[in-house]
């Protein structure tokens, strides 16, 4: 992907995007096969999930890896009424090689938040899921895509995959492998078309199985 073909409105995420990124990710994962049941009370799920994703996005914004797609100011690339200048169409949350999702300093705050948001059973299931994902994450250096979501009003326009392709063009250029977990099997074929190859399967409470994917930078030798 050349500079000329980068999607319109692509830019790095900033702290000012925290609220909009939280909105998009909360909606995107509300009924996700993995993340929906992590917040089991359907009535309070939007609020509970929103508080959780706000914390997680805030942690990711410690780094400059995450990317967003702004809505076009002239209607370019917009769909289903997404016409507000500066609104985001899609967001991707990345971590650079060697970095954890939650900083050492923030672990206590994370545990307090989960305890406040969830009952003990749901909190334990979420903790176990996090541990299993962490155990499955490869030790080889890689950039880690933790979340990819499209605004409800912009779905169907290919914005999520466009945002992912732009990130992969960057990581190909600098020679960095990438890794992700596909929480929804409906997305697996999309990742595979971009060069991702299955790595391992993570089994969660209740028998939910999550496929993980690895992608070597284009033109490089495999590091697996």
């Amino acid at each position: 992907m050349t500079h000329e073909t980068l999607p319109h409105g692509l830019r790095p995420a900033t702290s000012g995007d925290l609220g909009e990124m939280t909105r998009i990710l909360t909606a995107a994962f509300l009924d996700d096969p993995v993340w929906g049941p992590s917040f089991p009370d359907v009535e309070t799920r939007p609020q509970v999930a929103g508080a959780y994703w706000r914390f997680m996005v805030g942690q990711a914004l410690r780094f400059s890896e995450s990317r967003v797609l702004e809505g076009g100011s002239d209607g370019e690339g917009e769909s289903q009424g997404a016409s507000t200048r500066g609104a985001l169409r899609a967001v991707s949350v990345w971590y650079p090689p060697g970095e954890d999702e939650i900083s050492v300093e923030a672990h206590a705050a994370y545990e307090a938040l989960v305890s406040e948001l969830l009952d003990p059973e749901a909190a334990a299931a979420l903790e176990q899921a996090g541990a299993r994902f962490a155990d499955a994450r490869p030790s080889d250096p890689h950039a880690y895509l933790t979340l990819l979501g499209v605004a409800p009003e912009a779905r169907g326009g290919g914005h999520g995959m466009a945002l992912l392709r732009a990130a992969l063009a960057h990581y190909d250029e600098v020679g960095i492998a990438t890794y992700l977990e596909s929480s929804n099997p409906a997305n697996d074929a999309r990742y595979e078309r971009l060069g991702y190859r299955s790595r391992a399967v993570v089994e969660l409470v209740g028998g939910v199985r999550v496929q993980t994917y690895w992608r070597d930078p284009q033109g490089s030798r495999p590091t697996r």
Side-chain angles (χ1 to χ4, degrees):
M1 178 178 290
T2 65
H3 176 74
E4 288 74 15
T5 59
L6 291 175
H8 177 76
L10 171 70
R11 64 170 174 79
T14 70
S15 59
D17 296 314
L18 178 59
E20 180 72 345
M21 292 176 74
T22 299
R23 176 186 76 87
I24 290 172
L25 292 169
T26 300
F29 289 94
L30 201 62
D31 298 313
D32 181 82
V34 171
W35 294 110
S38 294
F39 310 107
D41 187 330
V42 176
E43 290 188 3
T44 63
R45 183 180 293 170
Q47 295 75 30
V48 171
Y52 182 82
W53 293 129
R54 185 178 181 87
F55 182 93
M56 298 304 292
V57 171
Q59 285 293 293
L61 291 175
R62 294 177 289 146
F63 309 102
S64 59
E65 300 292 305
S66 298
R67 297 164 177 82
V68 300
L69 277 181
E70 289 185 330
S73 60
D74 58 0
E76 180 181 350
E78 294 169 0
S79 62
Q80 302 181 35
S83 59
T84 303
R85 182 186 296 269
L88 301 183
R89 288 175 282 164
V91 305
S92 60
V93 179
W94 289 88
Y95 281 82
E99 296 294 346
D100 293 327
E101 290 183 86
I102 301 172
S103 70
V104 173
E105 297 79 8
H107 272 290
Y110 174 80
E111 292 173 0
L113 176 68
V114 170
S115 178
E116 178 183 347
L117 294 176
L118 299 174
D119 63 38
E121 182 178 355
L126 184 62
E127 180 181 2
Q128 185 180 82
R132 292 186 180 182
F133 283 133
D135 288 343
R137 188 173 168 186
S139 58
D140 299 321
H142 62 274
Y144 179 28
L145 175 63
T146 63
L147 298 165
L148 178 67
V150 177
E153 65 274 12
R155 290 174 185 166
H159 303 310
M161 289 300 108
L163 188 55
L164 178 53
R165 286 194 299 270
L168 294 178
H170 164 71
Y171 292 122
D172 284 345
E173 184 178 357
V174 298
I176 295 177
T178 65
Y179 173 78
L180 61 83
E181 299 126 357
S182 179
S183 62
N184 190 336
N187 295 322
D188 290 359
R190 297 185 178 99
Y191 297 136
E192 291 168 6
R193 284 195 291 269
L194 293 180
Y196 279 97
R197 297 293 177 260
S198 58
R199 177 91 182 199
V201 174
V202 179
E203 187 164 341
L204 304 179
V205 173
V208 176
R209 294 166 63 85
V210 178
Q211 180 66 59
T212 69
Y213 282 97
W214 178 274
R215 183 184 184 276
D216 287 298
Q218 185 173 320
S220 73
R221 290 184 177 181
T223 56
R224 293 177 59 174

